[in-house]
Amino acid sequence: MIRRILIANRGEIACRVMRTAKRMGIECVAVYSEPDRKCKHVQMADKAYLIGPAQSTKSYLDMNKILSVCIDAKVDAVHPGYGFLSENSKFMDLLDQNGIKFIGPKKRAINDLGDKINSKKLAGNAGVNLIPGYIGEVSENREEILKIAHQIGYPVMIKPSAGGGGKGMRIAYTDDEIIENFRLSKQEAASSFGDDRILLEKYIEEPRHIEINVLGDSHGNVIYLPERECSIQRRNQKVLEEAPSPFIDEETRKMMGKQAVQLAKAVDYESAGTVEFMVDKYRKFYFLEMNTRLQVEHPITEMITGIDLVEEMINVANGKKLSYTQDQVKIKGHAVESRVYAEDPFRGFLPSIGHLIKYREPSHPNIRIDTGVREGDEISMHYDPLISKTITWAENRQGAIDLMKTALDTYVIRGLGHNIPFCRDVLRQPAFVSGKYSTKFIPLTYPDGFHPSPLSQGAKTDLASIIAAMKEVTDSFALQKPEKFVPFVIKAFDEFYAIQQNEKGQKTILKIDTEGNGIGEETVLQEVKINWNNTDPLISGEVGGKTHHVQFFGHTATGYQLFSKGQSINVDILNAHQFEFQKWMPKASDAHSQKEALAPMPGSVISVAVQPGQKVEVGQELCVLEAMKMRNIIRSEKKGVVKVVSCSAGQSVQVDQVLFEYE
């Protein structure tokens, strides 16, 4: 019987496992690296042990250190979470030799299914649909790579045989791309997984990424759970997921579930696992891979089934039968998950590091936040930039989407960049709203990088109404309060709204141009109710009975800095004279030096490809930066001659640090 477990992980997944384990009456032991000393999972644990420095290979990936803690703490079992040692059979051997249970599948399943090459062979033998491709390890020989690529036909997917999470995966459309991307994928695979084997397969264009969660026990029972739609991805990393899929019908769901169970039974699968499929527009599906662990996006499956996957994993490790039969698994409502990352969508989603100066989670009975951070914590460059998984549930899809909008609108994060503006914008896109999207959603929707979609005129007018109410609150704190109403102009979104008073004494709102001429009709300002004290970061208000949430970043010399519906808004409150003169004010220039190449993110320099005096072309590789386990090529944005190289391999750099100078 498991009475004490060690969670061999960190952050939100460590906290997630602890919540269930503690509810089951199980003591929890945590491990942590030096920068994680004050993290949430350490504070939640009944006992915690320092296991090394920030570098994963010397802490969370050090099997011997973790085993030593297991023995010292006298734990009965280890839950690995996901990533790190969750699919490492050598770690399982160490635990087994010391009489410690591994809460997860058996070694055979991890070895057979954790390797993408072997898993494809196994899946084919189990009657699972396969993607056309080359089943086997591909060597570094240029001619062999090109020969296989030509046999498959472009586009070709390049992926590491080991690992998961989209790391190291790249797509090639030409001979030059496959050679370069093969090299980068191989390097990233070696760095992330300690295994640089690469496989090639046909890339199915405009596919959907659908996952089936399976549960198995030691008594031969295997069931599948309703699918997760995971098609909204960036760099093959999932960003927003939902369950069930708006695309999959009951017949396809049963066929996919059947094949997932066949594959699991082929290796006597125990515990939780996920079979991933690519599905084309005709609902033909193909096996992608199987993750022999708890999946990152598992909460949405839990929300629509009521099944606690961690509890089932612990029960199975205790030798119990599954708590559910296939007939008992039902779909209840709809769930959506947004992965909130510390990354800047306005700068190509580059990592953002810093402290959570202010952190306030949304609150609602049907909003779930899985996180490993608290206010004051630091998001560092050493680990994945996930702040939280934000999950909403409702009786239907639209209800879950609407609640997610509220969750993101009321999620207060200060001190670093984050992708909430992007997640919020996705929810407004017609392709997402209709459910007719694929893994191409992000490049098709944002071909020139992320730029928030403009708000409707109605939304802008409602926001202007809230700003007018905010001004009243601010005025109430002034030492000299105005004796009577004085007309003013609100500038927001580079638009102007005149707040005036008509002959009946009613306040009115009118959109105007830079000359003060009305655009449209003047209307009576709707009844506005706001709950704000002039400094609180969150403003909840009603305009004409409709609820709005606006985040307050601070006062400026002339107004406010706000955030609403995924958009940052600079607001100026202008009196008549200020409005008259503002049109003569010059606009700030966005020009920057063209003689320097700057680091677009904090990270570590992996390699430098140029030297002083070398001529470079636009798009030529300058160096490779690694940040948060992702490798990025820094390319020249101009044609010229390199004058100074200010970085070297192994060096750590900060965002906007000068890396190269041109003549």
Side-chain angles (χ1 to χ4, degrees):
M1 181 64 69
I2 297 174
R3 295 183 176 85
R4 182 180 300 158
I5 67 170
L6 179 142
I7 296 89
N9 217 299
R10 64 177 301 280
E12 62 79 26
I13 185 56
C15 296
R16 161 71 185 95
V17 173
M18 285 187 199
R19 283 198 303 273
T20 291
K22 284 177 173 289
R23 178 171 52 78
M24 297 173 70
I26 298 172
E27 291 184 30
C28 296
V29 177
V31 291
Y32 62 94
S33 64
E34 290 173 356
D36 282 347
R37 186 181 300 271
K38 296 182 179 180
C39 281
K40 185 176 179 179
H41 77 279
V42 176
Q43 304 302 318
M44 284 182 64
D46 295 295
K47 199 168 185 179
Y49 291 78
L50 174 65
I51 54 171
Q55 189 175 345
S56 297
T57 54
K58 296 181 180 179
S59 52
Y60 295 107
L61 286 172
D62 192 319
M63 293 179 277
N64 291 319
K65 284 183 180 178
I66 293 177
L67 176 63
S68 178
V69 173
C70 289
I71 295 172
D72 184 72
K74 297 181 173 59
V75 302
D76 304 302
V78 170
H79 195 298
Y82 43 71
F84 293 136
L85 298 172
S86 61
E87 296 172 288
N88 191 306
S89 60
K90 292 181 181 178
F91 181 55
M92 295 179 66
D93 285 340
L94 282 177
L95 295 178
D96 188 57
Q97 291 164 11
N98 287 273
I100 300 168
K101 294 181 179 179
F102 179 84
I103 301 177
K106 299 301 181 184
K107 179 179 177 179
R108 176 196 170 195
I110 286 182
N111 286 340
D112 288 350
L113 295 171
D115 183 293
K116 292 184 179 67
I117 295 174
N118 290 335
S119 68
K120 283 183 177 294
K121 295 176 181 178
L122 185 64
N125 293 335
V128 181
N129 304 340
L130 296 180
I131 298 174
Y134 179 80
I135 301 179
E137 180 184 353
V138 182
S139 75
E140 295 183 68
N141 181 273
R142 176 187 175 90
E143 297 306 317
E144 181 182 348
I145 294 171
L146 293 177
K147 179 181 177 182
I148 294 172
H150 294 164
Q151 289 174 346
I152 295 172
Y154 291 115
V156 171
M157 172 65 80
I158 306 161
K159 57 168 49 172
S161 178
K167 291 184 174 62
M169 292 173 60
R170 286 174 169 80
I171 303 166
Y173 291 85
T174 66
D175 287 356
D176 288 342
E177 285 185 359
I178 199 165
I179 296 301
E180 180 179 87
N181 289 344
F182 188 93
R183 170 178 65 89
L184 292 171
S185 292
K186 199 170 184 69
Q187 290 175 353
E188 198 165 304
S191 173
S192 298
F193 315 121
D195 184 342
D196 68 353
R197 292 176 300 153
I198 297 294
L199 60 85
L200 302 177
E201 65 186 20
K202 180 71 174 179
Y203 176 67
I204 299 175
E205 297 188 272
E206 298 186 24
R208 298 182 81 114
H209 186 125
I210 308 293
E211 300 178 349
I212 298 287
N213 215 117
V214 296
L215 283 170
D217 61 26
S218 59
H219 303 275
N221 302 306
V222 181
I223 63 173
Y224 70 88
L225 306 182
E227 79 285 347
R228 297 187 289 257
E229 171 74 68
C230 304
S231 297
I232 297 182
Q233 304 177 4
R234 182 187 56 74
R235 293 179 179 173
N236 298 306
Q237 288 274 15
K238 299 152 196 171
V239 179
L240 192 146
E241 307 100 3
E242 58 179 313
S245 167
F247 179 68
I248 299 299
D249 57 24
E250 184 60 29
E251 181 182 0
T252 306
R253 178 177 298 120
K254 288 181 178 179
M255 289 191 294
M256 294 175 74
K258 179 181 178 182
Q259 290 197 12
V261 169
Q262 288 172 190
L263 178 59
K265 285 187 173 182
V267 291
D268 300 321
Y269 198 86
E270 300 176 22
S271 196
T274 296
V275 182
E276 301 189 357
F277 293 97
M278 283 294 186
V279 184
D280 68 18
K281 61 183 179 181
Y282 304 107
R283 294 194 178 90
K284 292 182 179 178
F285 56 91
Y286 306 92
F287 173 72
L288 184 62
E289 63 180 326
M290 182 168 184
N291 289 306
T292 53
R293 53 174 168 77
L294 190 67
Q295 198 82 338
V296 177
E297 57 276 14
H298 73 274
I300 52 176
T301 297
E302 294 183 327
M303 296 293 274
I304 66 166
T305 61
I307 298 174
D308 187 319
L309 295 177
V310 173
E311 182 176 352
E312 290 300 310
M313 294 178 75
I314 294 173
N315 284 338
V316 168
N318 267 324
K320 296 182 179 180
K321 291 184 178 180
L322 295 177
S323 305
Y324 301 84
T325 64
Q326 191 66 63
D327 291 341
Q328 292 174 315
V329 177
K330 306 294 181 182
I331 297 176
K332 304 168 186 175
H334 198 94
V336 177
E337 174 179 293
S338 295
R339 297 195 194 182
V340 178
Y341 286 110
E343 59 186 16
D344 190 345
F346 299 99
R347 300 186 63 178
F349 296 91
L350 295 176
S352 179
I353 62 175
H355 286 86
L356 293 166
I357 296 173
K358 191 177 293 293
Y359 182 78
R360 183 183 297 181
E361 295 173 354
S363 178
H364 187 279
N366 292 331
I367 294 176
R368 168 177 166 178
I369 304 292
D370 279 17
T371 185
V373 303
R374 299 160 302 174
E375 189 167 282
D377 284 353
E378 180 184 11
I379 304 296
S380 73
M381 61 179 285
H382 302 297
Y383 308 111
D384 286 342
L386 183 68
I387 296 174
S388 80
K389 295 179 297 191
T390 300
I391 307 104
T392 59
W393 178 92
E395 294 286 349
N396 54 58
R397 183 173 186 262
Q398 190 57 54
I401 293 173
D402 290 341
L403 187 55
M404 180 59 74
K405 291 178 181 177
T406 298
L408 297 177
D409 286 345
T410 58
Y411 204 152
V412 177
I413 300 174
R414 304 282 193 274
L416 43 73
H418 54 76
N419 69 334
I420 283 180
F422 171 73
C423 293
R424 183 60 172 81
D425 201 68
V426 167
L427 301 174
R428 302 174 55 221
Q429 296 301 322
F432 177 77
V433 173
S434 68
K436 298 176 181 178
Y437 59 89
S438 72
T439 55
K440 289 286 189 179
F441 174 87
I442 291 179
L444 288 175
T445 306
Y446 310 102
D448 301 317
F450 174 63
H451 302 283
S453 303
L455 296 181
S456 67
Q457 189 56 59
K460 291 179 181 179
T461 302
D462 285 350
L463 179 60
S465 301
I466 290 176
I467 294 169
M470 289 176 61
K471 183 181 182 301
E472 285 190 15
V473 173
T474 300
D475 287 346
S476 71
F477 284 86
L479 292 176
Q480 293 183 335
K481 300 178 178 61
E483 295 180 2
K484 62 179 181 177
F485 173 78
V486 178
F488 59 93
V489 174
I490 295 170
K491 181 183 179 183
F493 302 105
D494 286 326
E495 297 176 355
F496 300 91
Y497 296 85
I499 308 299
Q500 305 173 95
Q501 198 170 53
N502 62 19
E503 60 277 5
K504 296 180 181 180
Q506 298 170 312
K507 291 179 184 177
T508 62
I509 183 169
L510 173 65
K511 184 178 180 182
I512 58 176
D513 61 21
T514 56
E515 300 295 331
N517 300 313
I519 301 173
E521 295 184 3
E522 183 176 42
T523 58
V524 174
L525 199 63
Q526 295 189 64
E527 182 181 359
V528 181
K529 298 177 182 178
I530 66 170
N531 180 20
W532 188 51
N533 65 0
N534 201 41
T535 59
D536 195 85
L538 186 62
I539 305 161
S540 293
E542 286 188 6
V543 181
K546 184 178 180 181
T547 301
H548 293 269
H549 301 286
V550 179
Q551 292 194 29
F552 171 75
F553 276 74
H555 292 276
T556 66
T558 55
Y560 311 109
Q561 286 183 317
L562 306 178
F563 178 84
S564 179
K565 296 178 172 58
Q567 309 216 19
S568 296
I569 308 149
N570 290 318
V571 176
D572 291 325
I573 307 294
L574 309 172
N575 61 35
H577 294 297
Q578 290 170 328
F579 173 71
E580 177 64 25
F581 287 115
Q582 65 79 33
K583 62 186 176 185
W584 305 109
M585 298 296 291
K587 291 187 177 181
S589 172
D590 292 328
H592 62 278
S593 171
Q594 297 295 316
K595 291 189 176 182
E596 299 172 337
L598 310 180
M601 75 198 90
S604 177
V605 179
I606 299 302
S607 61
V608 178
V610 297
Q611 56 188 358
Q614 182 175 337
K615 294 181 178 179
V616 293
E617 300 293 330
V618 175
Q620 184 172 335
E621 178 180 331
L622 299 177
C623 67
V624 175
L625 277 185
E626 182 177 67
M628 296 178 176
K629 302 182 181 179
M630 295 295 291
R631 294 199 172 190
N632 305 270
I633 297 178
I634 308 304
R635 301 184 185 276
S636 178
E637 295 183 359
K638 61 173 289 184
K639 179 180 179 180
V641 177
V642 177
K643 180 181 179 181
V644 178
V645 176
S646 301
C647 62
S648 59
Q651 177 183 348
S652 293
V653 297
Q654 299 301 314
V655 64
D656 289 336
Q657 182 174 329
V658 176
L659 303 180
F660 304 92
E661 295 179 32
Y662 298 96
E663 291 184 356

